[in-house]
Amino acid sequence: QVQLEESGGGSAQAGGSLTLSCLASGDTYSINYIAWFRQAPGKEREGVAARYVGDDTTFYADSVKDRFTISGAGWNEAYLQMNALEPEDTAVYYCAVSRSRPGPAWRNPNLYKYWGQGTQVTVSS
């Protein structure tokens, strides 16, 4: 079992920044990928960024590339630095971990076994 605790959500103006944190506990040795997903009202959950803890390879959705940065050390933490925020970034953000190695399929939420409770990010124009 892996437990995930997110923090850092809140409100920001367009162009501003926020940082989300995710701390994992439990069987963290089994984690291969840590990812951030988001879900806006009426939309499907989408992958935003992911990190392969084995070699720190990172992956980004096109919509956030060059604006968001995922980072962390080891198997039990992940941070999402969000810069140049846009109203379209408004969503509930979830941290998720996978014991597999999705690679190019990293955005498939079905490949992630454990999820955090979510944290709201609201960006106003």
Side-chain angles (χ1 to χ4, degrees):
Q1 292 286 332
V2 176
Q3 295 78 42
L4 301 172
E5 183 174 354
E6 302 133 337
S7 61
S11 299
Q13 295 282 333
S17 299
L18 286 172
T19 302
L20 305 182
S21 301
C22 175
L23 296 180
S25 59
D27 297 334
T28 58
Y29 65 89
S30 64
I31 294 172
N32 276 305
Y33 273 58
I34 300 179
W36 288 96
F37 285 77
R38 67 185 182 187
Q39 188 165 21
K43 295 189 177 181
E44 293 186 354
R45 191 168 296 191
E46 63 170 351
V48 175
R51 178 173 76 92
Y52 170 45
V53 299
D55 63 7
D56 276 337
T57 300
T58 55
F59 305 84
Y60 295 95
D62 288 344
S63 60
V64 305
K65 199 172 296 183
D66 299 326
R67 299 190 299 121
F68 291 10
T69 302
I70 187 171
S71 64
W75 289 270
N76 68 336
E77 63 181 30
Y79 304 97
L80 187 67
Q81 176 66 43
M82 304 184 293
N83 298 327
L85 284 164
E86 303 170 353
E88 293 74 22
D89 295 319
T90 296
V92 177
Y93 283 71
Y94 298 89
C95 177
V97 299
S98 175
R99 290 175 171 169
S100 64
R101 301 181 186 183
W106 68 271
R107 300 190 73 190
N108 182 351
N110 295 319
L111 300 179
Y112 294 80
K113 183 176 178 67
Y114 300 103
W115 292 80
Q117 78 285 357
T119 184
Q120 177 70 45
V121 170
T122 302
V123 183
S124 57
S125 57

